[in-house]
Amino acid sequence: MKFFIHPFNLRFYYSLIVAFLLCSIHVAAQVIIPVETKNTALILQSNVANDLGIIYFGKKLSQPSEYAAISQMYKQSEDYTGVLNSAYTSSGSRNLVEPAITVSHADGNNSLDLKYVRHSVKAMDNNVSLLTVVLKDPVYALEVNLFYKAYFNEDVIEQWSTIKNNEKGNVVLKKFASANLHFKGESFWLNQYHGDWAKEMKPEEARLTHGIKTLDSKLGTRTNLFQPSVFMVSIDKPATEDEGTVLFGSLEWSGNFRTDLELDNQDNLRIISGINNYASDYTLKPRQEFTTPAFIYTLSTAGKGLASRNLHNWARTYKLLDGKGDRLTLLNNWESTYFDFNESKLFELIKDTKKLGVDLFLLDDGWFANKYPRNGDVAGLGDWEENKQKLPNGIASLVKEANNNNVKFGIWIEPEMVNPKSELYEKHPDWIVKQPKRDEYYFRNQLELDLSNPDVQDFVFKVVDDLFTKNPDLAYIKWDCNAVIYNAYSATIKNQSHFYIDYVKGLYNVLKRIRTKYPAVPMMLCSGGGGRVDYAALQYFTEYWPSDNTDPLERIFMQWEYSYFYPAIASSNHVTDWGKQPIKFRTDVAMMGKLGFDIVVSKLNETDLKFCQDAIKNYNSLKTVIFQGDQYRLSNPRESALASMAYVSADKSSGVIFNYLVNNRYGENSKMPVRLKGLDASRKYRITEINVYPGSKSSIDMNKEYTGDFLMKIGFNPDVNSSRTSVILKVDAI
């Protein structure tokens, strides 16, 4: 039998072989452990005292044997601990900086000193390898396994840990990070995000100074509301789109998170990320182990654009549900009707769905509850039976009407939540997250169900399962989550410090059950906007809702920032009546991701309707390149009057460029040509304007041909101005 390795994979196998060889190489009692991807290397080293440290994280060296010489090149101030560069910093012994792990042993001792024991590398497939490093305390029977899952071609690493209690009594985990990174550099710059409802993903960049900068959330659920868990760190100088060394990081966890960034006395940067240990001491019984969520990161030495494409490629292939698949366009009734609808109104909207030319009609909030009807956001949550007054024939009649119009039907739910004014609240007060001796405090007039309770998990699963059992043709779920946790307490948990963690684990248990039974149904991850957008949740969802703010001008800025971390196929963008822009501008902006509409189709004039119908056809012809193409940011709306974003197919044969005027001051326009990216310099291309509003003419000469070299070095002017505020250009190789 003969074995053949495709040349494309030779580098991966070579790197893996080198890693195995280096695993057994001891240099002066030191063990070098490389974690290599296509372009980067994270190098671990165990010293003579079996302390495991990080000696390098940067561009991969051509000669792996030279990694051992890196430490000799630095002549920094004294490390008084010997563990400043620890790969997983423990506390209570000689460490003087922020730890990754803190424990209280069975005998009450709080010290920990983790020593390298062994490691192994496993090839998961021809692109993915898993390094496992075993650390143990020489005094106490506590073991920590560090896992580094390297995605070679994507330059992405997932890192997590397991903590095993081999002691005879209970061990209490006080802090339990997923990852602990260490960087050397001249300076470090943090780009973080903040926001609120309708103001998501606002960036702030600043130089990191000595001490600790903490990014965290204590909201329990919808945890990204004020502080998203994603961040960037530039090394030596702030990275630009195409230049500089930058790390993108994010925790795969839908609950409280914490990332510490500490500039130490040697001027090196330590990054520790994991579940927030706030009010969450976790007790491990003998023989139990705790597994942390994964921390995902990618390092680019060629700017932010490459880092984002690394994450996009990784997410579509390995994490996002159906990341290589298609997405449904839809019409949502929310801004058409809000809570005020009945069966006949919805029948007309379903007909409008077909008329508009989209794939699916989505029924939003307000379709359920009878004793306390859901006619506003003050009642009904938790009572998931059809409202008999609004829908006398149930959901089934709507699904049937959708089928009759050759469109699909989807529905909104918020199954984790309950209104105090509901039958569920009356029947199961023990299912609700609330302190027994304190006044209830509401977020959007609602409380959370206690997902740490298995009975509640069964209930939430049944909400979804019943909908599909009764309506097998149901084709889409919008899963909302509008509240944060006040007065955290579970009526069934004995140790209340486990609550925040067990709540999230309960959520994942439900989602796993749903995906086991309904693996392919598209689901939108909605959380009052972008309050729960992370890759742990997105493995169960096909898309997320960036913000309830759908003003297209605002969305340009939001979608720009989200796009650094999440691919376009995952971003749900709807055309609504928010903002004062014309229908063309609103539609053009929404087409940068997964397109939907939330408008009153019957109120569109004939020309606007014709434009929307044609735009949907254009969108359907371009979906593949938008969803699967490489994304390039060409003109930053925070730095220019022009926002320009491009998507280019992997084979460089086609692309689409979205251009928008974001400054309406007098005379603003696309003064300069926009340099394209990602094309083949040797090929010729033709540029065509699409989504031209009926009755108007394009100012673009669509008969000219340009080399990729010209378009990338000189550029192309989309002719954006006050009378052409949005311009979409289709790029085709000849």
Side-chain angles (χ1 to χ4, degrees), residues 47 136 192-193 283 328 439 530 537 548:
N47 63 19
K136 289 184 179 180
Q192 66 183 95
Y193 293 89
T283 300
L328 299 169
D439 293 339
D548 283 345

Side-chain angles (χ1 to χ4, degrees), residues 219-357:
L219 304 181
T221 186
R222 198 180 172 189
T223 53
N224 289 338
L225 177 61
F226 305 135
Q227 175 100 69
S229 57
V230 295
F231 65 93
M232 309 175 190
V233 172
S234 299
I235 300 172
D236 295 333
K237 61 181 180 180
T240 64
E241 194 65 28
D242 301 304
E243 295 180 342
T245 299
V246 61
L247 176 90
F248 282 21
S250 179
L251 188 68
E252 296 179 40
W253 182 247
S254 306
N256 294 341
F257 61 85
R258 173 177 170 178
T259 298
D260 296 312
L261 303 102
E262 181 175 18
L263 197 61
D264 65 23
N265 63 290
Q266 289 188 322
D267 304 324
N268 300 323
L269 179 65
R270 307 171 67 255
I271 300 177
I272 298 172
S273 186
I275 294 173
N276 198 335
N277 55 326
Y278 160 77
S280 295
D281 287 358
Y282 209 88
T283 300
L284 288 184
K285 295 178 181 179
R287 316 311 299 175
Q288 280 189 335
E289 72 177 43
F290 182 89
T291 301
T292 69
F295 177 66
I296 173 76
Y297 52 96
T298 184
L299 185 73
S300 164
T301 57
K304 298 176 182 178
L306 178 60
S308 72
R309 290 186 289 278
N310 289 345
L311 279 183
H312 296 173
N313 291 332
W314 169 81
R316 288 189 296 248
T317 305
Y318 295 103
K319 188 60 65 169
L320 178 66
L321 186 67
D322 196 26
K324 295 287 190 179
D326 199 358
R327 296 293 184 269
L328 299 169
T329 53
L330 61 81
L331 175 66
N332 191 3
N333 74 299
W334 179 245
E335 293 194 16
S336 301
T337 67
Y338 295 99
F339 294 100
D340 183 19
F341 57 81
N342 54 34
E343 186 178 78
S344 61
K345 276 188 180 180
L346 296 179
F347 276 16
E348 291 304 311
L349 291 176
I350 289 172
K351 290 181 174 64
D352 286 342
T353 305
K354 176 65 174 176
K355 182 179 181 181
L356 185 62

Side-chain angles (χ1 to χ4, degrees), residues 434-451:
K434 58 177 182 174
Q435 289 281 352
K437 297 181 180 180
R438 303 204 181 272
D439 293 339
E440 293 176 2
Y441 196 75
Y442 307 125
F443 197 107
R444 200 176 181 253
N445 306 304
Q446 62 196 58
L447 296 166
E448 290 79 8
L449 295 177
D450 178 13
L451 277 172

